[in-house]
Each structure stands twice: as structure tokens, then as C-alpha cells.
Amino acid sequence: MPTDMNPQERSLRARLAVHKSWANTLDPKSRTAKARAARAARFEAKARELHPGATPEQIARVAEHLKKAHYAAMALASAKARRVRKQAAQPAA
């Protein structure tokens, strides 16, 4: 990796590579299927750990809520980080 690139140039180069990569992919769902299956299995395993005697329907419902909770926690952390970054960028009064 060239060291003479600034962060913005590295970001642009990475974005270019991503778009080229996805342009070479006709079926994005098949490209990401393994990752999506692994993510679903992780939430299902956690649901089974929490409720070992649950039915498959109950496990599916709990796993879906675990997934939604995970993404809500990520959104909250992102909002907090943006707020902190914004406050740090403002000049001290």
C-alpha cells in the first residue's frame, strides 16, 4: 500500500475497489449467503442458549428479536459516537 496517500485518498481508493468488485458480481445474495447464514446461526444459537426447551417457532421469534436488539445497540453506539465527535469538533466556548 502506498504510504503517500492521505486518509481521503485511501477512502476513495477503497470505495473504487468496492464498486468494481460488486460490478463483477451478478448475484449479490449468493456472494453473501455464507455470511448471512452464519449471522442467523449465531442469533439462533444464542436463542437456544437462553431458552433450551423452546419450540422452533419460539426460537425463530427470539432470534429475530436478538438480531433487532443487536442492530439497535449498534445504532445507539453510532449515535453516541457521532454526538461525541460533533462536540469535539466544536470550539470551546
Side-chain angles (χ1 to χ4, degrees), residues 29-73:
K29 284 191 174 186
S30 68
R31 179 173 166 178
T32 59
K34 284 184 182 179
R36 286 183 287 109
R39 181 189 64 201
R42 185 182 69 161
F43 290 120
E44 184 177 319
K46 181 64 175 174
R48 290 190 187 287
E49 180 183 312
L50 292 171
H51 306 286
T55 66
E57 293 80 16
Q58 291 169 324
I59 293 297
R61 185 186 64 77
V62 170
E64 182 64 24
H65 283 290
L66 287 170
K67 181 175 87 168
K68 287 180 180 186
H70 171 76
Y71 285 110

